[in-house]
Amino acid sequence: MALSAFTQAGTLLFLIGLSLPLLLIYLPCYASYCDQTYYLTAFHQHWYLFLSYLTIVGMYLALYLSVSKKWKTFLERPLLRRGATGFASYVFDMDVADGLHFLFMIVLLIGVYALWWAWKWYELNLYPADVGNYVYSASGASGHWCDWLMGLTLIPVSRSSFIVQQLGVSTDSALKYHKLCAYGLVLGTIVHGYITFGYWITVQQNNGPATVAYQVFNIGMPAEYISWSYGSYTAILGVVASFVLFIMVLAACPVFRRGAYSFFALTHPYFAVILLVFAGLHADSDFYCFLPGLFLYGIELLERFLQYFRKPSEAVITVEENQYLRIDVDVGSTWECVPSQWTLLQFPTLSIISHPFTVAKLSDGKASFLVKPQKGVTRKLLSVSETTLPVRVCSPKEPISFNVDNIRTCICLVAGSGVTGAIALVNAWISTKHPKTGRIFLAWVSGFDNAAEKLSLMKEIVDAADSRVSLIVYSNRQAVPVVYDPGHGIVGNLGTGFKAQTILERIATAEFKEVDEDSASVGVFICGPKSFTVDVRRDVEDQKKSGFDADVHIESYEW
């Protein structure tokens, strides 16, 4: 997929953001607290360590695309056999590669803490080795955890990021890393605040009353002691930044993100800007570490902002028999037929918020979307009487983690509205522009009867009766499947109930020699609710132990 203008601009700005701090540290400091003033050598080493980490991770991602299938199979193995559940699923649902990267990051963060503690202690060693000096060193060292984590939280979150589009990182994986760094940032903020407040209140009693009001908020402090250059506002700025961070984390919890999407969508991106302003004023090291990610994320915010000034296109809304919505939008000839790409749609008569939707089909400059109404704008789309609505469209994003051009056989195991990405794969597979000669199998747990006949986009595939396409449709996970297998009759009796392992075993048998001849060219696409993707992924891993090898892409509804 060719990089969009926004992604190209983001790439350039990201590189500028990596280089700019090496120049800015020689200019007068603007922040309330300045490491570049007091610890220039230490700050140099801190920044070089950050650059080294980003370089190593970038090299790792680039090399990951070319490693052998044996190593990929090992690296993609889940750390937890049954998958994490509940809150843990948002933090600890990692594979071996995620775990190794997480441990690597922990080791580096411990190194950052140790180095800054040592640097600050060296500066303070001229004074008596009392508890105040120890606590002050720990306060500064813990603050530099937050430098790193804030910068790392921003980098993968941009949907236009070249990291997602060019280095084989799926949107799901990028957001998982984003959430891990964000939770680490919250922990680091709590530790830094606790140590810092403890120092000021318990140790600084000689410099004024041992109260939060005096030591943190300057209440009652003599005017001659209050100065920006003295760092009098450092604590206030840090407290405001922390408060904004906690609101963002609260809004990102599943109960709000899934149940009150508008609250999440309005607070998360724009509160992030407020957080960065106050954190950057709090300490210069914060600003320098989040600068590369800020430039990258700023491009996405710019694209979202400019979206509101675009002339709306016309969206044709069709209510399907099963109450799904089909949305057809003219997008022109610039979009490429890339499977499972998605974009942001904003319906100005219904909402000021843009919502992500997967492109199910792209043909003759028209993009078709398949939507299962839930709450908010999708429910409004179902209830409107108009068949056409104005819509603004962002440039498309590509989340799929394997290159479809290198896949000879594709297997889609999906549930619910996760079928949208699978339909996109089928349409791309049989498109006249980039036709594929291999086979594609789509197994779908639909949630309703006669599903293939009730969705127009699915019915188009059935009616095409393409010999390269096999469909296996379940009304629920316990039902007997309906099979559409034109000209082959190769799926046979799959029994009762959706069993991913059974389907994979059938495809991997000698009956499918075209698959076994080159197992390295098999791609598996998994999409559905979290519980579904965990179960299917476990079955795929079990099948891999029997010699079935494939590139696996997983998406869930947990964004």
Side-chain angles (χ1 to χ4, degrees):
M1 179 179 180
L3 293 179
S4 69
F6 285 101
T7 301
Q8 293 179 47
T11 304
L12 176 61
L13 287 175
F14 177 76
L15 296 176
I16 293 175
L18 289 176
S19 307
L20 202 54
L22 299 177
L23 301 175
L24 293 178
I25 57 178
Y26 293 104
L27 299 178
C29 180
Y30 69 91
S32 178
Y33 182 83
C34 299
D35 277 309
Q36 70 186 67
T37 301
Y38 304 112
Y39 310 101
L40 182 59
T41 301
F43 185 79
H44 268 116
Q45 296 171 357
H46 179 69
W47 180 248
Y48 290 142
L49 193 61
F50 186 66
L51 287 181
S52 299
Y53 169 80
L54 294 178
T55 302
I56 291 171
V57 172
M59 292 173 61
Y60 161 75
L61 290 174
L63 291 172
Y64 183 76
L65 298 178
S66 59
V67 298
S68 68
K69 281 290 175 181
K70 183 177 180 180
W71 272 105
K72 271 193 175 181
T73 300
F74 169 74
L75 291 172
E76 292 172 354
R77 185 174 300 166
L79 284 178
L80 301 178
R81 179 65 181 84
R82 294 184 177 276
T85 59
F87 178 78
S89 67
Y90 300 99
V91 186
F92 299 112
D93 187 17
M94 299 186 291
D95 54 28
V96 173
D98 293 331
L100 291 174
H101 184 193
F102 183 66
L103 288 175
F104 176 57
M105 187 169 68
I106 291 296
V107 169
L108 282 178
L109 287 174
I110 292 173
V112 168
Y113 182 91
L115 288 172
W116 272 104
W117 196 96
W119 286 325
K120 285 184 176 286
W121 178 248
Y122 174 77
E123 296 291 334
L124 294 166
N125 204 31
L126 299 176
Y127 302 98
D130 58 28
V131 65
N133 290 341
Y134 283 114
V135 174
Y136 184 74
S137 297
S139 170
S142 62
H144 289 292
W145 276 353
C146 301
D147 298 346
W148 272 47
L149 291 167
M150 189 177 299
L152 297 177
T153 300
L154 279 172
I155 290 175
V157 74
S158 174
R159 309 295 175 80
S160 300
S161 172
F162 66 96
I163 295 173
V164 175
Q165 297 200 30
Q166 295 299 106
L167 293 181
V169 180
S170 70
T171 302
D172 261 21
S173 296
L175 292 182
K176 182 194 299 182
Y177 181 80
H178 166 73
K179 288 188 285 186
L180 281 171
C181 290
Y183 290 132
L185 177 59
V186 170
L187 178 61
T189 300
I190 293 172
V191 171
H192 179 55
Y194 177 79
I195 294 176
T196 303
F197 286 0
Y199 168 71
W200 273 329
I201 294 173
T202 62
V203 179
Q204 289 284 75
Q205 297 185 38
N206 294 331
N207 297 331
T211 64
V212 173
Y214 184 92
Q215 299 290 346
V216 179
F217 295 105
N218 303 330
I219 298 175
M221 183 178 291
E224 60 268 23
Y225 293 165
I226 302 176
S227 169
W228 183 268
S229 60
Y230 288 170
S232 304
Y233 297 96
T234 303
I236 299 174
L237 293 166
V239 168
V240 174
S242 301
F243 180 72
V244 174
L245 173 64
F246 294 143
I247 292 178
M248 292 177 62
V249 172
L250 178 65
C253 290
V255 64
F256 291 110
R257 190 178 71 249
R258 301 291 299 168
Y261 180 78
S262 296
F263 175 62
F264 166 73
L266 287 173
T267 58
H268 216 64
Y270 304 111
F271 273 44
V273 176
I274 300 173
L275 168 63
L276 296 179
V277 168
F278 280 91
L281 293 174
H282 170 73
D284 59 341
S285 54
D286 284 334
F287 173 70
Y288 294 141
C289 283
F290 69 60
L291 192 60
L294 175 63
F295 280 170
L296 197 59
Y297 186 50
I299 286 293
E300 169 156 337
L301 292 181
L302 176 63
E303 183 180 11
R304 291 192 190 188
F305 179 73
L306 293 178
Q307 182 185 31
Y308 294 103
F309 296 95
R310 292 175 180 161
K311 182 180 179 181
S313 302
E314 184 179 80
V316 179
I317 314 295
T318 305
V319 181
E320 309 274 64
E321 287 186 54
N322 63 340
Q323 298 299 294
Y324 273 59
L325 298 173
R326 174 172 175 168
I327 304 173
D328 295 304
V329 182
D330 288 324
V331 294
S333 58
T334 58
W335 285 28
E336 296 182 26
C337 185
V338 177
S340 201
Q341 63 186 339
W342 62 276
T343 188
L344 293 169
L345 300 183
Q346 189 254 334
F347 298 90
T349 59
L350 301 180
S351 174
I352 63 171
I353 300 172
S354 299
H355 291 71
F357 295 101
T358 301
V359 181
K361 183 179 181 180
L362 183 63
S363 177
D364 298 326
K366 184 197 314 186
S368 298
F369 303 87
L370 189 62
V371 180
K372 182 179 180 180
Q374 299 287 348
K375 299 178 181 179
V377 73
T378 56
R379 179 57 58 180
K380 291 179 182 178
L381 284 170
L382 182 63
S383 61
V384 296
S385 57
E386 299 90 345
T387 57
T388 61
L389 287 174
V391 63
R392 294 187 176 98
V393 187
C394 277
S395 58
K397 326 295 182 197
E398 180 186 8
I400 199 162
S401 57
F402 56 74
N403 189 341
V404 178
D405 292 336
N406 298 333
I407 298 299
R408 187 161 182 255
T409 302
C410 188
I411 305 167
C412 302
L413 305 169
V414 298
S417 57
V419 72
T420 304
I423 291 174
L425 274 165
V426 172
N427 283 318
W429 199 269
I430 63 178
S431 70
T432 55
K433 187 176 181 180
H434 302 290
K436 301 285 290 184
T437 58
R439 300 290 309 283
I440 183 166
F441 302 86
L442 196 168
W444 175 34
V445 181
S446 64
F448 55 92
D449 296 328
N450 301 319
E453 303 295 329
K454 292 181 178 178
L455 284 184
S456 57
L457 288 169
M458 184 66 84
K459 192 172 187 305
E460 290 172 8
I461 296 173
V462 173
D463 292 343
D466 193 296
S467 60
R468 294 167 291 180
V469 181
S470 296
L471 305 179
I472 309 164
V473 183
Y474 299 80
S475 60
N476 56 66
R477 293 185 71 169
Q478 289 75 43
V480 176
V482 178
V483 178
Y484 303 86
D485 197 18
H488 289 274
I490 53 178
V491 176
N493 181 17
L494 293 172
T496 301
F498 173 84
K499 301 181 183 65
Q501 191 163 358
T502 301
I503 296 171
L504 293 170
E505 287 172 353
R506 290 294 178 84
I507 296 174
T509 59
E511 206 168 14
F512 303 100
K513 291 181 180 179
E514 66 268 30
V515 175
D516 282 340
E517 285 174 358
D518 186 7
S519 62
S521 62
V522 178
V524 178
F525 176 87
I526 304 170
C527 187
K530 188 70 173 182
S531 58
F532 175 86
T533 59
V534 168
D535 291 344
V536 174
R537 180 179 183 177
R538 183 173 62 245
D539 289 344
V540 171
E541 295 302 325
D542 286 342
Q543 192 63 28
K544 282 184 176 182
K545 296 175 183 177
S546 303
F548 179 80
D549 208 354
D551 285 313
V552 181
H553 175 86
I554 303 174
E555 294 179 21
S556 67
Y557 297 160
E558 307 304 325
W559 287 11

